[in-house]
Amino acid sequence: MNLAPVQALARVGPAAALLLVMTACTDDSPPPSSVSSPAPASPQASTAPATTTPTGRTTAMNIRLTLDGHPVAATLNDSSTARDLAAQLPLALSLRDLNQAEKIADLPRKLSTSGAPDGADPEVGDLAYYAPWNQLATYYRDAPYAAGLVIVGHMADGGAEQLATADEITIEAAP
């Protein structure tokens, strides 16, 4: 038996396999059309353009808090956690004081923390989600960094003073 053809095939076989793999990985399809259908509108997204708060946090949705009957403007940021909170609105929650710095309330269900940092250092007026306890945390005084805390929004000026004495909070999309 003549082994020359088998030996030649053994030498070119790996090169042929590499060429086949490289050819299969290229994309010869035409570029996508420049005309596309608009994305469906998100029910919780604001129609107003995003703004930036003095702290540099981007906002995506205007909301209204009602603290013991007193309306306070607030905004939610553009995070998955804030969008998940917005999907639960309107909410009426009982507040409890924690450490004479914040009011907390139990939420009906856990929120997404996808893409959220490991924790946050809240500021006066911040709205936050404390993931370990599934609670909304609202700040009327300065508080230290907390692991598991995700900032979701901020109250307008004057909101923190109202919050300090509040026992009830209603959160709804701003009209």
Side-chain angles (χ1 to χ4, degrees):
M1 174 172 179
N2 185 359
L3 294 178
V6 173
Q7 291 171 337
L9 184 58
R11 284 190 301 263
V12 297
L18 180 61
L19 181 61
L20 179 62
V21 167
M22 289 176 57
T23 304
C25 292
T26 61
D27 182 14
D28 291 334
S29 61
S33 170
S34 60
V35 177
S36 62
S37 61
S42 172
Q44 67 270 16
S46 171
T47 56
T51 59
T52 302
T53 65
T55 60
R57 298 174 186 189
T58 302
T59 59
M61 180 181 185
N62 293 323
I63 59 172
R64 181 175 55 209
L65 309 177
T66 305
L67 300 166
D68 287 344
H70 303 283
V72 174
T75 54
L76 293 178
N77 62 34
D78 189 22
S79 67
S80 64
T81 306
R83 288 189 298 272
D84 204 10
L85 176 65
Q88 293 187 32
L89 300 183
L91 288 171
L93 306 168
S94 295
L95 295 171
R96 298 181 308 279
D97 196 81
L98 184 66
N99 300 323
Q100 298 179 333
E102 65 186 281
K103 296 285 183 149
I104 59 172
D106 297 323
L107 290 172
R109 67 170 173 78
K110 289 188 176 270
L111 302 179
S112 167
T113 55
S114 175
D118 293 334
D121 186 4
E123 298 175 6
V124 172
D126 275 348
L127 307 173
Y129 175 60
Y130 188 61
W133 295 348
N134 188 42
Q135 291 178 328
L136 177 69
T138 53
Y139 292 87
Y140 62 93
R141 287 204 177 112
D142 192 35
Y145 174 92
L149 188 69
V150 180
I151 305 297
V152 296
H154 194 80
M155 290 181 275
D157 292 340
E161 292 81 22
Q162 294 286 336
L163 178 64
T165 59
D167 293 318
E168 301 287 326
I169 186 172
T170 301
I171 310 167
E172 56 193 343

